Amino acid sequence: MVTARGLHGYSRASSCTRRDFRKMVRITESLIRQRAEHNNCEIFSLEEISLHQQEIERIEHIDKWCRDLKIVYFQNNLIPKIENVGRLKKLEYLNLALNNIECIENLDGCEFLQKLDLTVNFVGELTSVESLKLNVHLQELFLVGNPCCEFEDYRKFVIATLPQLKWLDGKEITRSEQIQALQDYPIVQQQILEQQQAYILKRTKEKEEAQKNLEEKENNEKAGQKKQNPSFDGQGLDQTQNTENNQSNSDGEEDKDQKNTDEDEMNKKFWEEPSQYTPESRLEAHRYIEKMRKAKDKDKNQKKQKPQRTLITSEGRVLNVNEPKIDFTLIDDEENNQFILDLAVYRYMDTSLLNIDVQPTYVCVMVKGKVFQLVLAAEVKPDSSSAKRSQTTGHLLVTMPKTQEVVRPKSKSTSTIRSATSTKPHPAVTSLLGHAQLCYPKNPGHGDSQGFNPSCFGGRREWNG
């Protein structure tokens, strides 16, 4: 069957090489646990799992890890063979639609299999349905979209071969159909064998052509790489480097536009070219889509990468930088001869995301990979600096002592310390006594009984002689 390449088309046939096999998506324990969220991520008791659209190229491990599976979805993958499901004794429904399966096999151990979906595969060996005779509970079978469906009397052959079926390709099997299929079975069987043999010869030619096309494609790719990267001598290499260094930004933009135009033309050519619909063509289309996706992701990552910020110029001048855009306060504590940097770090950010570097002329703080750098007005002592963080506000406090010590004159003391062995009264006491003596009246008979005039202290008895 020939199809045109489009959004849902497929490319030229090519075989699956060992290199492609290494890149295929594998069924891993983490993938199964991820798909077992409805079962609390427990895989040993899992009864249903959906692994559709995962680009899986081989069935493996599920017959050992998930013995209790009853329903399995493998549709829309790249599986070429039915394998590693024979130990699933409780399996009731297996969906393998939209894969690369060419033969029905290895299902005799699924004793309770009731429904098998092989829609849109590449089953051309129709006689392989005989392997389902041992699945006595099989009631529904879907083979629509397979090459075998184009065989004459295909439905009669399947009905006569599998008498336990109730539905075929979504259509109920009547009792009269069963009787007629059994009566015509010898003739139909011979016709099916002839058609099947012709299909096998056709498939053999397709595989040979696919292998040939693959080799031609690899040779063309190697030749294209040689043209893009020719060998030069030392002088030519230097000239090339000088030319590249002298290119302007406008040239770079033109190169990008040219690259995008070439990619669009290549995509258009790839998808519009007619091709055979084969398992190899599906694989090639998948490889091409994966290649283009990786190229786009690479371009996005390159666009996201910002140019490295300059922290120190080529002349050695340190720049002020505030990438995290956080508030800060720099205090010049002249009394203690130090700088204090108060950085308003995010309150709930973990302290392990901070990295502080104090240099003699500047301080640099990394906040979640973003640079905060501040030039200081005077040199500081990095070894004597300290950093603290508030547990309530989250602020970072960096204390940086200055290298130059400020010499200040000693302040004169206003108070004197009297010796404990001195017998002279304190000057303040003498002053008070002198003031009290001035308050004594000339006639001690008047006033207070102790000879003290209380009016001198506001009329209060604060001292009794």
Side-chain angles (χ1 to χ4, degrees):
M1 176 169 49
V2 179
T3 60
R5 290 176 179 170
L7 183 61
H8 300 288
Y10 296 92
S11 61
R12 183 172 54 229
S14 64
S15 64
C16 180
T17 62
R18 185 176 299 177
R19 172 173 54 86
D20 295 333
F21 180 80
R22 291 174 181 173
K23 293 182 179 179
M24 73 178 186
V25 178
R26 309 296 294 267
I27 298 178
T28 60
E29 183 179 352
S30 59
L31 177 61
I32 294 180
R33 289 191 185 279
Q34 181 182 356
R35 292 290 180 170
E37 293 180 352
H38 60 283
N39 197 44
N40 296 325
C41 297
E42 295 179 356
I43 62 176
F44 68 92
S45 60
L46 194 62
E47 294 185 356
E48 179 178 348
I49 190 170
S50 179
L51 295 172
H52 64 285
Q53 296 180 348
Q54 296 294 313
E55 300 176 356
I56 297 171
E57 297 185 24
R58 185 183 180 188
I59 302 175
E60 54 187 350
H61 302 310
I62 61 170
D63 60 332
K64 300 176 183 177
W65 296 343
C66 315
R67 291 291 188 90
D68 294 335
L69 280 174
K70 293 183 179 180
I71 301 174
V72 180
Y73 296 96
F74 274 122
Q75 68 268 29
N76 202 1
N77 283 291
L78 299 169
I79 300 170
K81 183 179 180 180
I82 303 175
E83 57 184 340
N84 297 321
V85 293
R87 298 181 182 180
L88 301 177
K89 303 296 182 181
K90 300 180 181 180
L91 185 63
E92 298 177 359
Y93 176 34
L94 178 60
N95 192 328
L96 288 166
L98 292 167
N99 279 281
N100 294 346
I101 296 171
E102 300 188 58
C103 181
I104 304 174
E105 56 187 343
N106 299 324
L107 290 172
D108 49 350
C110 304
E111 299 174 359
F112 289 94
L113 184 63
Q114 300 178 12
K115 184 176 180 180
L116 176 61
D117 193 345
L118 293 171
T119 303
V120 190
N121 275 270
F122 296 92
V123 178
E125 298 181 22
L126 187 56
T127 54
S128 62
V129 298
E130 295 177 355
S131 63
L132 298 174
K133 287 182 177 180
L134 299 177
N135 303 100
V136 294
H137 298 285
L138 184 64
Q139 297 181 1
E140 296 183 62
L141 178 63
F142 290 86
L143 291 172
V144 63
N146 286 271
C148 63
C149 295
E150 299 177 2
F151 295 172
E152 186 180 355
D153 293 331
Y154 134 82
R155 185 176 175 87
K156 285 185 178 181
F157 180 80
V158 176
I159 293 174
T161 305
L162 303 175
Q164 72 270 30
L165 283 182
K166 304 295 182 184
W167 297 78
L168 178 60
D169 296 335
K171 185 178 178 181
E172 186 177 5
I173 300 173
T174 61
R175 179 61 181 167
S176 59
E177 274 187 302
Q178 287 182 335
I179 296 173
Q180 187 66 37
L182 290 173
Q183 291 176 351
D184 299 340
Y185 180 72
I187 301 174
V188 170
Q189 184 183 22
Q190 185 63 29
Q191 293 177 352
I192 293 296
L193 289 174
E194 293 176 358
Q195 297 176 77
Q196 179 176 291
Q197 186 65 27
Y199 174 78
I200 292 175
L201 294 175
K202 178 184 174 182
R203 265 306 278 141
T204 303
K205 293 180 180 179
E206 288 178 353
K207 290 180 179 179
E208 293 176 355
E209 182 181 356
Q211 184 65 27
K212 182 180 179 181
N213 291 335
L214 178 63
E215 293 176 356
E216 291 180 357
K217 184 178 179 181
E218 290 180 351
N219 294 332
N220 292 334
E221 288 180 355
K222 291 179 180 179
Q225 290 177 358
K226 289 181 179 179
K227 289 181 180 180
Q228 292 178 359
N229 300 319
S231 58
F232 296 101
D233 55 3
Q235 183 178 359
L237 183 61
D238 294 338
Q239 292 177 356
T240 304
Q241 291 177 351
N242 294 332
T243 304
E244 292 177 354
N245 294 331
N246 295 329
Q247 285 181 346
S248 62
N249 294 331
S250 60
D251 294 336
E253 293 178 357
E254 291 178 359
D255 292 340
K256 288 182 180 178
D257 295 339
Q258 183 65 29
K259 182 180 179 182
N260 293 333
T261 304
D262 294 341
E263 288 180 354
D264 293 339
E265 292 179 356
M266 184 174 61
N267 287 333
K268 185 177 179 181
K269 179 181 178 181
F270 183 86
W271 293 112
E272 290 183 355
E273 184 180 354
S275 63
Q276 296 289 335
Y277 180 66
T278 61
E280 292 79 19
S281 67
R282 288 195 75 221
L283 279 174
E284 186 182 3
H286 165 68
R287 305 298 180 206
Y288 183 80
I289 294 172
E290 185 179 6
K291 179 181 177 181
M292 298 304 296
R293 187 189 301 125
K294 288 182 178 179
K296 289 182 179 179
D297 293 342
K298 185 178 180 180
D299 293 340
K300 288 181 180 179
N301 294 333
Q302 290 179 352
K303 291 180 181 179
K304 288 181 180 178
Q305 290 178 356
K306 297 181 179 179
Q308 190 174 3
R309 183 181 290 273
T310 303
L311 302 178
I312 301 176
T313 63
S314 57
E315 294 82 9
R317 186 167 61 91
V318 182
L319 303 178
N320 291 326
V321 181
N322 189 0
E323 282 187 344
K325 297 180 181 180
I326 54 181
D327 298 332
F328 68 94
T329 304
L330 182 64
I331 303 171
D332 189 355
D333 187 1
E334 294 182 354
E335 184 177 352
N336 296 317
N337 193 32
Q338 62 184 4
F339 288 114
I340 300 176
L341 174 62
D342 185 359
L343 200 59
V345 180
Y346 314 119
R347 181 176 181 181
Y348 297 105
M349 191 182 73
D350 194 272
T351 308
S352 62
L353 300 176
L354 294 173
N355 188 10
I356 307 165
D357 181 20
V358 179
Q359 297 294 332
T361 57
Y362 67 94
V363 57
C364 181
V365 181
M366 297 292 292
V367 182
K368 292 180 67 176
K370 297 182 179 180
V371 181
F372 174 88
Q373 185 169 279
L374 187 64
V375 181
L376 304 175
E379 289 191 5
V380 297
K381 300 177 181 178
D383 296 339
S384 302
S385 302
S386 62
K388 297 179 182 179
R389 191 177 180 197
S390 173
Q391 294 182 351
T392 54
T393 63
H395 283 216
L396 179 67
L397 202 68
V398 183
T399 305
M400 298 167 284
K402 298 180 182 178
T403 55
Q404 280 188 338
E405 296 183 359
V406 179
V407 180
R408 296 188 181 89
K410 293 183 179 180
S411 59
K412 295 181 180 180
S413 178
T414 56
S415 61
T416 58
I417 301 174
R418 185 169 62 91
S419 175
T421 59
S422 177
T423 57
K424 294 181 180 181
H426 195 277
V429 177
T430 307
S431 175
L432 182 59
L433 289 173
H435 179 67
Q437 291 172 359
L438 292 174
C439 292
Y440 279 115
K442 293 181 180 180
N443 297 323
H446 300 280
D448 191 50
S449 59
Q450 299 291 334
F452 179 72
N453 188 1
S455 63
C456 296
F457 292 91
R460 295 176 60 190
R461 294 178 182 269
E462 297 187 5
W463 183 71
N464 292 326

